[in-house]
Amino acid sequence: MADAIPTPLDAGPVQEAKRRVRSKRGPLAYTLRVVVIAYLFFLVVWPVSVVVQRAFAPVDGKPGGIGPLWERLTDPAAIYAFNLTLTVSFWAVVINTIFGVGISILLVRHRFPGRRVLSVLIDLPMSVSPVVVGLALVLTYSTSLGIFGDVLQATGLRIINSTPGLIMATAFVSLPLVIREVIPVLEEVGDDAETAAKSLGANGWQAFWRITLPTIKWAVVYGVVLSAARAIGEYGAVRIVSRGAEFNGETATLLIQNEYGAFNEAAAYAAAFVLVVLAVLALVVITVIRPQESHRS
Amino acid sequence: MSIEIEGVNKFFGDFAALTDINLTIPTGQLTALLGPSGGGKSTLLRVIAGLEEADTGRVTIEGNDATSLPVQKRNVGFVFQHYAAFKHLSVRRNIAFGLEIRKRPKAEVNAKVEELLELVHLTQWGDRKPAQLSGGQRQRMALARALAIEPSVLLLDEPFGALDAKVRKELRDWLRRLHDEVHVTTVFVTHDQEEALEVADQIVVINDGKIEQIGTPDDLYDRPASEFVLSFLGPVTRLGGDLIRPHDIEISRYEQASTAAGPITRWTRVGFEVRLEITPDDALHPEPVQVALTRTEARALDLNLGDRVWLRPAVGAQSVISG
């Protein structure tokens, strides 16, 4: 931070000009920088690093380090929880990708009554609290309270307190992420290439697979990564629709809450550490994809 | 007859994009749809291609009623102003696209692609991506791609509109030569009268969704059916109440039987051409008359700003009496 205003001894005309521009807003830029860095440090970096540090720290006289961390993570309850989280996230992401791409094409390439309403509706999951989403799903699909309760009871299909309910809740909250990535790209490239493909004899399906999909590929990948990160970290909606007990609908986030509440903090930190690692991985993937996306055009 | 268009009407909401269009486009010729922006020429082209559906009327391509055929089934080659390149495919794969869709044998596809690459002078660029080509090269690739399916008609929508003036001129000459070689019935849309006059066998002038005139470039230039056609195909000026082209005016320094007389009030030189403005003494037609002549002619007549000159229509000049 000390080198915010460089003062090279042999400043040429260009460097001189550059320095003048910088020094003009020097004190303000310097202050802003410090404020932003401090803000991010106290809000994000420090708390997260404490979690990581605790995951490796000795607890209750037991030694810390990688070995004990691994032991806590390979505990059957933890394995069950991560398995469930991955299963639920996987299906939620698959569903959202297929519907997301479909809805994006519908919204960008077609004009129909109610299009704007649909566009607004897609953003709803972003603004509604996940807890409310969970409650809504329970009220609709639970066998005792739900509107379809009797039907579901009759067919023996359980949604609430079961994996399908978890998938639905997770899909609901991460619904807009793929769509919001794909729509701008579709709008930017226009439909000339698709029309050209059709004039060359391609049917709608061929034009989609051969032309549209390769064009929006990176936007889809980007949306999938964002959805996956969101799905893995989902807590509120999942809390409501799941029993959340050990080996019975306990996802990774629920496990953290449960273990933390049960004074088994070591296990909570260990699971939290894994979630942090997954989040960082997602960030890395996104950073790698970004430049490619802008190079495309 | 290659393309027959009968009684076509097309509305966008309340806006009449095309009104009662009847047109025959002859086989093997290069036809230009010429007109100002928003005049309906692109809409007509898209109706022929099947990208827009006419509200009423019939489109017949090579004797088959194509009115309700989708674009995939019409066997037309379409070239877009902005190339519509498949950015993720190489030039070769772009050209091969239509043949791959038709599931032609690989050897046949490859042979055809090589032949077309040669035709559009892109052989050494075959493995490049469209982004690595210049605008002119991209448009040649788009043409090869459209020709690959051996279309019964080739449709070009402002094909050179996105290119700079020099490349546009080159591609125009090249398109004319290509057409003389390939002889596919071609329709292209343009708002550039020079492009239409230079390249086309037949020009269809379209304005406000209606056909103003159909004819050869000479017909249109020399015998314009309306004031609109006259003024759209090149510069016009008014000499004693008649519309006339500025270079069809005879200018003299000596008193003679003339339509107008007056001093030279403006002198502009553009390259080889000299453009004069003469303000007539005539009280009935006091607005300035534009006259164009070559620099050599101007020098031979020893004309200077402020000189008094006498003007009359050149022998054989075409003029339209303004209504």
Side-chain angles (χ1 to χ4, degrees):
Chain A
M1 264 176 279
D3 61 358
I5 305 166
T7 49
L9 289 171
D10 56 342
V14 176
Q15 276 167 313
E16 192 101 60
K18 217 187 255 175
R19 201 188 61 189
R20 219 176 295 134
V21 171
R22 274 205 200 165
S23 55
K24 238 184 241 168
R25 51 179 186 188
L28 181 64
Y30 193 72
T31 318
L32 273 178
R33 214 176 289 184
V34 171
V35 168
V36 168
I37 288 169
Y39 174 77
L40 284 177
F41 178 78
F42 286 110
L43 194 69
V44 180
V45 181
W46 196 18
V48 171
S49 65
V50 169
V51 168
V52 175
Q53 185 202 332
R54 283 289 179 86
F56 288 97
V59 183
D60 302 333
K62 285 177 258 169
I66 290 179
L69 175 71
W70 183 249
E71 233 165 74
R72 275 172 251 146
L73 288 177
T74 47
D75 176 80
I79 288 179
Y80 170 85
F82 278 110
N83 244 331
L84 184 62
T85 289
L86 289 183
T87 310
V88 167
S89 303
F90 173 79
W91 287 113
V93 168
V94 167
I95 291 169
N96 277 343
T97 306
I98 294 169
F99 280 95
V101 171
I103 292 172
S104 304
I105 290 175
L106 184 70
L107 280 176
V108 177
R109 295 283 185 259
H110 300 271
R111 294 287 172 272
F112 54 91
R115 184 175 152 272
R116 289 180 62 97
V117 177
L118 183 62
S119 176
V120 171
L121 207 62
I122 282 161
D123 283 331
L124 192 71
M126 281 306 218
S127 47
V128 173
S129 163
V131 179
V132 177
V133 172
L135 272 176
L137 288 177
V138 168
L139 287 177
T140 317
Y141 296 106
S142 97
T143 43
S144 49
L145 295 165
I147 303 165
F148 302 127
D150 297 335
V151 183
L152 290 171
Q153 188 99 52
T155 56
L157 183 70
R158 274 199 28 214
I159 291 179
I160 303 303
N161 293 334
S162 168
T163 313
L166 285 171
I167 294 172
M168 279 175 82
T170 310
F172 191 123
V173 297
S174 56
L175 172 74
L177 294 166
V178 170
I179 299 174
R180 289 295 159 218
E181 289 303 321
V182 172
I183 280 184
V185 178
L186 274 179
E187 276 172 350
E188 191 205 314
V189 299
D191 61 355
D192 270 7
E194 287 158 35
T195 313
K198 284 179 188 162
S199 80
L200 292 168
N203 60 35
W205 194 241
Q206 286 168 320
F208 171 75
W209 277 109
R210 287 166 179 259
I211 305 301
T212 314
L213 199 56
T215 310
I216 60 172
K217 180 173 62 182
W218 290 114
V220 173
V221 172
Y222 197 84
V224 163
V225 174
L226 285 180
S227 297
R230 179 80 179 79
I232 289 168
E234 175 50 27
Y235 175 78
V238 163
R239 167 97 275 174
I240 306 283
V241 298
S242 171
R243 281 230 171 82
E246 218 172 58
F247 301 113
N248 190 355
E250 191 184 51
T251 65
T253 48
L254 296 180
L255 172 95
I256 294 170
Q257 170 67 24
N258 290 344
E259 297 289 7
Y260 190 78
F263 301 103
N264 188 2
E265 290 171 22
Y269 293 135
F273 170 70
V274 174
L275 292 191
V276 169
V277 169
L278 286 177
V280 170
L281 266 180
L283 276 182
V284 169
V285 171
I286 284 170
T287 321
V288 172
I289 292 170
R290 259 268 157 85
Q292 245 161 328
E293 203 182 347
S294 55
H295 273 294
R296 197 173 29 80
S297 54
Chain B
M1 287 303 160
S2 186
I3 308 175
E4 291 273 3
I5 295 154
E6 293 162 85
V8 163
N9 282 280
K10 174 77 187 169
F11 288 88
F12 292 115
D14 289 339
F15 174 69
L18 294 173
T19 316
D20 197 28
I21 300 287
N22 290 291
L23 178 63
T24 300
I25 291 166
T27 305
Q29 292 214 358
L30 226 164
T31 302
L33 304 181
L34 175 68
S37 313
K41 54 195 190 315
S42 278
T43 309
L44 179 57
L45 193 78
R46 294 175 72 88
V47 166
I48 298 172
L51 298 172
E52 302 276 1
E53 211 176 317
D55 296 331
T56 63
R58 273 157 49 91
V59 178
T60 314
I61 298 176
E62 297 210 310
N64 303 317
D65 185 359
T67 313
S68 52
L69 275 185
V71 56
Q72 289 94 337
K73 299 261 167 67
R74 290 200 186 189
N75 200 36
V76 294
F78 201 94
V79 174
F80 296 79
Q81 178 176 4
H82 297 287
Y83 328 122
F86 303 146
K87 288 179 187 152
H88 59 290
L89 300 177
S90 67
V91 171
R92 256 195 193 87
R93 297 277 320 273
N94 261 277
I95 298 175
F97 188 88
L99 299 171
E100 283 177 6
I101 291 286
R102 283 165 173 72
K103 302 218 163 36
R104 295 284 168 78
K106 213 163 184 103
E108 186 194 325
V109 173
N110 289 342
K112 184 85 193 165
V113 168
E114 291 309 318
E115 184 194 320
L116 284 162
L117 278 172
E118 187 138 341
L119 185 71
V120 300
H121 309 299
L122 285 175
T123 306
Q124 51 178 336
W125 308 92
D127 295 320
R128 299 277 181 111
K129 288 280 172 62
Q132 295 165 293
L133 302 184
S134 71
Q137 289 172 326
R138 270 184 238 182
Q139 200 56 297
R140 297 209 305 264
M141 178 197 82
L143 255 161
R145 186 176 70 182
L147 287 172
I149 60 169
E150 290 173 4
S152 33
V153 232
L154 184 60
L155 306 171
L156 306 104
D157 191 0
E158 302 253 2
F160 313 129
L163 303 167
D164 60 60
K166 191 165 171 291
V167 180
R168 197 184 313 171
K169 179 108 180 57
E170 280 168 18
L171 264 185
R172 202 194 282 168
D173 297 344
W174 175 82
L175 175 69
R176 182 66 242 185
R177 270 179 281 131
L178 179 84
H179 184 263
D180 293 342
E181 233 172 283
V182 183
H183 280 304
V184 57
T185 308
T186 305
V187 183
F188 78 103
V189 158
T190 180
H191 59 259
D192 180 345
Q193 85 284 352
E194 203 186 314
E195 194 168 289
L197 289 171
E198 198 178 313
V199 176
D201 298 314
Q202 178 187 252
I203 299 179
V204 180
V205 182
I206 299 178
N207 184 37
D208 275 341
K210 295 188 215 45
I211 293 179
E212 292 272 344
Q213 191 175 359
I214 304 171
T216 64
D218 288 353
D219 281 345
L220 261 63
Y221 199 84
D222 295 340
R223 287 173 290 281
S226 63
E227 203 179 310
F228 175 82
V229 175
L230 177 73
S231 60
F232 198 78
L233 281 180
V236 278
T237 189
R238 205 173 275 273
L239 180 64
D242 294 349
L243 287 168
I244 190 168
R245 304 227 179 266
H247 56 80
D248 276 346
I249 296 176
E250 203 179 286
I251 187 163
S252 165
R253 284 173 56 79
Y254 307 103
E255 185 158 2
Q256 60 174 5
S258 65
T259 318
I264 298 171
T265 48
R266 220 177 123 177
W267 178 290
T268 319
R269 195 189 138 194
V270 185
F272 67 89
E273 197 183 51
V274 176
R275 294 173 192 166
L276 306 175
E277 216 170 85
I278 288 103
T279 310
D281 312 325
D282 190 348
L284 270 175
H285 303 287
E287 66 274 20
V289 180
Q290 270 90 37
V291 178
L293 57 169
T294 65
R295 204 161 69 90
T296 328
E297 286 165 353
R299 201 178 281 158
L301 285 167
D302 193 23
L303 291 174
N304 288 298
L305 195 65
D307 286 357
R308 192 175 164 77
V309 291
W310 283 261
L311 306 174
R312 66 178 177 197
V315 179
Q318 302 298 323
S319 63
V320 170
I321 316 282
S322 57

